Amino acid sequence: MIRGIKGIKDIIPDEMPKWSVVERMAHALAHAFGFHEIRIPVFERTDLFVHSIGGSTDIVEKEMYTFPDKDGTSLTLRPEGTAGVVRAFIERGLKTYEASRKLYYIGPMFRHERPQAGRLRQFHQFGVEYVGTSDPSADVEVVTLLWRYFSALQLPGLSLELNSLGVLADRQAYKKDLVSFLKTKSDLLCGNCRRRLDVNPLRALDCKVPTCHEATNDAPFLTDFLSASSKEHFDRVLQGLQALAISYSLNPRLVRGLDYYSMTTFEVSCSALGAQNAIGGGGRYDGLFETLGGVPTPAVGFAIGLERVILALPESALPAPDPWVFVAAFGEKGRAAGNTLIDSLRSNHMKADTDYHASTLKTLLRSADRLNAPYVVIIGDDEVANNHVILRNMATKEQQIHPLDTASSAISERLGFRKHVET
């Protein structure tokens, strides 16, 4: 027996209703906010992620699935979506298309992490990228979409945190003070944070190692180093969220895990998930296009881990299942008429199924029970001879008789399907 790969999970039919809910909501809200779907490759040249995410990040150093192509080119399974979207935007000249200002994607990402609940080596993200404007209103719109998505799914215990990383000059001024502070605490820092002290000291602020968290409790705040224009931008973001009655808190330790972020950063947590409670976040990345060879282009976006959303998704967010029928057709003429009826119902986009292995009414009804069919259409040779079918409600055992030649439209209408196709 060949087993699946550790940390990569099958999504089986019983789990699909929740996946359908979170994916449909993503499509619906992205469209409502004016975003257009883009589909990017699942693997890219490794340099794309090294240059965009940052060579000193955990993702690049430890987590990427990287392999040589047959010509020796280093390729990597995408660990996140933003870099690929930006690469496509530059390479395909999407700036000439108005619809490409606002893009969204849904799909699998890959990171070699320690597998745990909601955190897998192949995982799925819903992300958006708002390209081409530095107006704080774009930040507000992206954060609002993120918040509305989680709220629409009825996720419990939501909290939104924001911070500003300022522009590059702000961070450079801040890093000098931060490095000086961290060097006084170096004996308390983990090996990774000590190694990155001069390259990426901000990562120490959100390191999950308890001693690092304790050591940085009194660290200086980046917000104290923001320029006047950076402060104004962040204030307008906060005012925009207040105007929409979206609650938030400020978190000066929120620096996110990728090097390309600047200005506004944000993250949403869900208390239902315990300690590892982050379910989505993002921020502004005005310098990334230039880093990847494009012209300077402002942009802001977010990414959501769908596995973690599904863990927190309450049963109340699932819609009632659509009514469907099991066609219990038996006998030579009954089976022929049953096959015609099934095809007609399906042409009306109504779910209809049967069991071709069962040949008697008794065995067909047993199959209907196993499938939890809410309704059964009984049609045997006698029913064909009498030109009717029997529709049985399996919960109440109530039965109705419908003419065979109009059974498809009658059943569709009875179960709430307005548009019908005549048999």
Side-chain angles (χ1 to χ4, degrees), residues 180-220:
S180 296
F181 170 83
L182 292 175
K183 284 182 176 179
T184 67
K185 306 281 187 176
S186 61
D187 57 328
L188 298 175
L189 300 178
C190 70
N192 275 340
C193 289
R194 285 197 300 271
R195 181 169 51 83
R196 297 172 182 163
L197 198 57
D198 294 313
V199 180
N200 194 353
L202 271 67
R203 299 298 296 125
L205 297 177
D206 69 351
C207 180
K208 302 302 185 287
V209 177
T211 55
C212 291
H213 193 278
E214 183 180 348
T216 56
N217 275 338
D218 300 324

Side-chain angles (χ1 to χ4, degrees), residues 81-146:
T82 299
V85 172
V86 172
R87 190 269 312 148
F89 196 97
I90 296 169
E91 183 179 354
R92 302 293 294 277
L94 297 183
K95 66 180 180 181
T96 60
Y97 299 95
E98 184 64 20
S100 298
R101 293 183 307 110
K102 303 170 77 172
L103 301 169
Y104 81 95
Y105 57 86
I106 300 175
M109 309 293 163
F110 306 86
R111 297 183 192 175
H112 191 279
E113 296 186 287
R114 183 171 63 85
Q116 53 187 296
R119 201 175 289 272
L120 302 172
R121 292 175 177 174
Q122 176 179 306
F123 58 100
H124 297 76
Q125 285 187 342
F126 160 43
V128 309
E129 316 295 350
Y130 195 153
V131 179
T133 178
S134 58
D135 193 300
S137 297
D139 305 38
V140 174
E141 180 169 310
V142 167
V143 175
T144 301
L145 172 52
L146 180 73

Side-chain angles (χ1 to χ4, degrees), residues 9-20 310:
K9 184 176 179 294
D10 301 305
I11 302 172
I12 61 176
D14 284 352
E15 298 167 334
M16 282 308 302
K18 288 190 174 183
W19 279 92
S20 295
I310 286 172

Side-chain angles (χ1 to χ4, degrees), residues 364-375:
L364 285 162
L365 291 177
R366 284 177 182 168
S367 295
D369 278 334
R370 284 197 299 271
L371 293 172
N372 294 317
Y375 294 90

